[in-house]
Amino acid sequence: MMRCSGDRAGSLVVSVLLAMMACTATAAIPPDEAWFESFRENASDHELYRFLYAMPKGGDLHNHMSGNAFPSWWYELALDQKDNGYRYYTKVRINNCGDYGRDEFGRTPYKMYFRNVTEATYQSMSECRQSEYRRLEDLTQQQKEGWLDSIRLDKSHEGRDEFFQRHWQRLGALTANPYLMAEVLYRNMKAFSEEGLIYLESMMGSAGYRTPGGDLIPRDEVADIYRKRLAETDALDTGVTVRLQESILRFAPNAEQQLIDDYAFVSDNRDLYVGVNMVGREDNDKGYPMRFRETLRYLRREHSDVNLSIHAGELDEPNSHIRNTLMLGADRIGHGLQLINDQPLLRELRHGPYLIEINLISNLLLEYVDDFAQHPFPEYLRLGIPVALSTDDRGMWDSNLTDEFFVAVREFDLSWHEIRKLSLNSLRHGFVEESVRDRLVKRYKDEIAAFESRFRESGMTAFEDVEPTYNGFICRYYDLCGAGH
């Protein structure tokens, strides 16, 4: 580590500048943050994780609800849907039947295990195809373990294609049941609450849901199912405020019509829905941002105050997607990895008003960075570009929001001021109505002040009763589930 004196910087100017920056940073630590600096430098990984798990947090602004459920949740909740008339079958063998059809965007992979269908779909299959499927509740233990593993990205040979081209296709009919998805939402509220979150803004659409028999459920009925679930006592008891976004698949042939329909729906359901998002692989050129310029110009004439967040910069190579996304009217950018390679825009975005939704674990597992050290997050944060940590598809990563904070603190030496700023950013840039936003900001400030006071008075003994949830990612990557857990 470079010291402030006594080191020979050599003749390289960059070394001198780095030394000056290191000295300045050390000298600039505010006295009231010295406690955290000392704790961070001396804490074990287990102590740091427990501290961050117990720590109050703001919001999660970038998450896909259908990717937020852990595999065990999917299995339990799917079996609980019999009372609503839903029963599921999953593919457990391949008999080379050959009579498979097409889905909306191309051919569904035939040689793919654990694709889930409803009983109605199963009954419509040929005898050969039926022989490939088994009721979900009748799986052997080995088959169940395979089913759970099939929607979890946890192997070194898995990556982007496994996630984008298989995980969602396997979930299949499970994501078309609004009652099941409402329970997934509640499970997330409960789990997020346990790690200190107070605001959840999730991509959870209202279109495409079906009855057990396969008929489409009107969007307004789906929204009412969500409202009813959110009003139940156990959901209210979590203390988590929830708002939802509609999302369009940017490269779909009918994406423009999806956008028009979603804007109208959000405009008519402002108590629950606060914005529209564009999702999907950016390396599919059919979803390029400027494709939607004329549609959005039309929509801004038709609707007021519909917020827009767009995935942009989640790519391997530089392009103009982030710049074009801002031109479309987005107030938040999902991922934003390639902003680092647009230096003029990087300078323009310092100090806002646009927020970058940072997903550290997602970007690593989908191989947009090979190592956390490559991630531009600390550059954005310390240049003054508003950023907030989020989980993206935490059920598929087998992770949580505490994991994101742990990665950020451990890999980038976050200060206490920066940790608080991340949560405040996640609240101040939420699309929730202003009065609710102000209340959430005040609540967070009160809770984080009480947390800090408690720790400074009692240290880690203040959190002896806190039992963190250690998920698969943090166990694998940092070995936090070994001795001392």
Side-chain angles (χ1 to χ4, degrees):
M1 180 178 294
M2 187 171 292
R3 297 188 299 272
C4 295
S5 62
D7 284 341
R8 297 183 61 187
S11 60
L12 295 176
V13 173
V14 67
S15 297
V16 174
L17 290 174
L18 286 171
M20 292 172 63
M21 289 171 62
C23 296
T24 301
T26 301
I29 295 173
D32 62 348
E33 289 200 9
W35 65 272
F36 180 75
E37 299 293 327
S38 176
F39 167 71
R40 190 191 63 197
E41 293 300 320
N42 294 288
S44 68
D45 281 350
H46 287 98
E47 289 172 329
L48 177 60
Y49 194 87
R50 183 181 293 271
F51 174 92
L52 293 172
Y53 188 88
M55 180 184 73
K57 301 170 185 67
D60 188 339
L61 301 181
H62 184 116
N63 61 89
H64 306 259
M65 190 53 63
S66 53
N68 266 18
F70 294 97
S72 60
W73 294 1
W74 281 121
Y75 191 80
E76 294 165 11
L77 295 174
L79 296 187
D80 285 344
Q81 288 301 304
K82 294 175 186 176
D83 290 344
N84 290 319
Y86 295 87
R87 192 168 210 166
Y88 297 100
Y89 290 71
T90 194
K91 190 169 187 175
V92 296
R93 61 179 59 89
I94 296 171
N95 293 333
N96 295 312
C97 298
D99 58 338
Y100 52 93
R102 292 179 176 273
D103 64 14
E104 188 176 357
F105 304 113
R107 195 174 296 278
T108 300
Y110 176 71
K111 294 183 178 180
M112 183 178 73
Y113 288 95
F114 304 119
R115 182 186 180 214
N116 300 287
V117 300
T118 61
E119 187 165 40
T121 298
Y122 172 82
Q123 294 297 341
S124 71
M125 292 177 176
S126 67
E127 185 176 345
C128 180
R129 289 195 66 200
Q130 285 184 351
S131 69
E132 299 177 321
Y133 284 78
R134 193 167 192 170
R135 282 181 181 172
L136 209 55
E137 60 264 42
D138 294 335
L139 297 183
T140 67
Q141 184 60 34
Q142 183 179 14
Q143 289 170 339
K144 180 181 175 181
E145 290 174 1
W147 189 93
L148 295 170
D149 198 44
S150 73
I151 48 177
R152 181 190 297 123
L153 202 71
D154 61 347
K155 303 292 189 301
S156 60
H157 63 272
E158 295 175 328
R160 203 176 305 172
D161 289 343
E162 174 72 12
F163 171 73
F164 283 114
Q165 296 172 206
R166 295 178 182 87
H167 277 191
W168 306 98
Q169 289 87 337
R170 287 190 179 111
L171 286 175
L174 299 181
T175 62
N177 177 345
Y179 300 100
L180 192 159
M181 290 304 301
E183 293 305 316
V184 167
L185 174 58
Y186 164 69
R187 289 282 187 105
N188 272 281
M189 294 169 66
K190 186 174 184 295
F192 272 127
S193 175
E194 290 169 356
E195 56 175 324
L197 191 90
I198 61 174
Y199 178 60
L200 177 60
E201 188 177 305
S202 187
M203 288 165 265
M204 187 175 180
S206 59
Y209 291 94
R210 295 185 178 275
T211 66
D215 296 327
L216 277 173
I217 302 174
R219 297 179 72 161
D220 288 338
E221 290 185 20
V222 172
D224 285 340
I225 291 170
Y226 296 162
R227 288 187 182 98
K228 181 179 178 181
R229 188 65 186 91
L230 289 169
E232 292 183 20
T233 301
D234 56 355
L236 296 173
D237 286 346
T238 66
V240 177
T241 297
V242 171
R243 294 294 184 272
L244 304 177
Q245 299 176 20
E246 285 286 353
S247 58
I248 72 163
L249 194 59
R250 64 196 308 152
F251 53 77
N254 65 339
E256 287 86 352
Q257 188 59 51
Q258 288 184 42
L259 191 57
I260 291 170
D261 295 343
D262 284 353
Y263 256 67
F265 182 80
V266 170
S267 185
D268 290 339
N269 292 272
R270 294 176 186 270
D271 64 309
L272 182 60
Y273 281 86
V274 293
V276 176
N277 210 313
M278 294 188 190
V279 307
R281 297 183 69 155
E282 286 183 75
D283 54 10
N284 184 326
D285 291 339
K286 294 180 180 179
Y288 68 99
M290 297 309 283
R291 167 183 171 179
F292 303 97
R293 179 178 58 185
E294 295 306 316
T295 303
L296 284 165
R297 286 179 174 174
Y298 160 75
L299 289 170
R300 281 191 286 270
R301 293 195 298 268
E302 297 294 315
H303 304 285
S304 62
D305 298 326
V306 175
N307 299 293
L308 185 64
S309 178
I310 302 179
H311 290 49
E314 189 187 16
L315 287 159
D316 295 313
E317 66 283 328
N319 62 20
S320 61
H321 282 191
I322 296 176
R323 187 175 290 273
N324 291 343
T325 290
L326 294 173
M327 289 291 295
L328 291 179
D331 291 309
R332 300 200 318 243
I333 301 295
H335 298 284
L337 281 166
Q338 287 301 327
L339 174 61
I340 195 70
N341 292 310
D342 188 338
Q343 293 186 22
L345 184 60
L346 191 70
R347 181 179 63 248
E348 293 168 20
L349 295 187
R350 293 187 67 196
H351 311 303
Y354 308 106
L355 177 100
I356 308 296
E357 303 159 351
I358 298 291
N359 306 281
L360 296 169
I361 294 170
S362 171
N363 296 155
L364 180 76
L365 293 183
L366 296 185
E367 301 169 347
Y368 292 108
V369 296
D370 296 323
D371 185 87
F372 285 126
Q374 298 177 355
H375 204 287
F377 159 69
E379 184 80 356
Y380 300 166
L381 174 68
R382 287 156 185 165
L383 279 177
I385 296 171
V387 289
L389 297 176
S390 45
T391 59
D392 202 9
D393 295 285
R394 74 193 194 105
M396 294 179 178
W397 317 145
D398 203 359
S399 66
N400 59 24
L401 190 58
T402 300
D403 293 359
E404 301 286 342
F405 274 93
F406 181 85
V407 170
V409 174
R410 193 179 188 277
E411 303 291 336
F412 306 118
D413 284 343
L414 262 59
S415 69
W416 186 239
H417 170 73
E418 289 171 333
I419 290 172
R420 290 180 303 182
K421 179 186 289 187
L422 291 170
S423 282
L424 284 170
N425 283 346
S426 70
L427 297 175
R428 289 170 174 159
H429 290 267
F431 290 153
V432 68
E433 51 270 35
E434 186 175 356
S435 60
V436 178
R437 184 190 306 127
D438 291 345
R439 174 172 55 81
L440 290 169
V441 168
K442 182 181 184 306
R443 176 183 166 186
Y444 171 75
K445 287 182 175 180
D446 291 343
E447 291 183 2
I448 200 68
F451 173 86
E452 178 182 334
S453 176
R454 185 182 175 194
F455 179 84
R456 295 178 71 172
E457 179 180 339
S458 305
M460 287 303 294
T461 59
F463 311 120
E464 287 179 340
D465 59 337
V466 174
E467 288 296 333
T469 298
Y470 292 89
N471 295 304
F473 172 82
I474 211 73
C475 293
R476 292 189 304 275
Y477 201 82
Y478 292 104
D479 194 26
L480 274 182
C481 299
H485 169 42

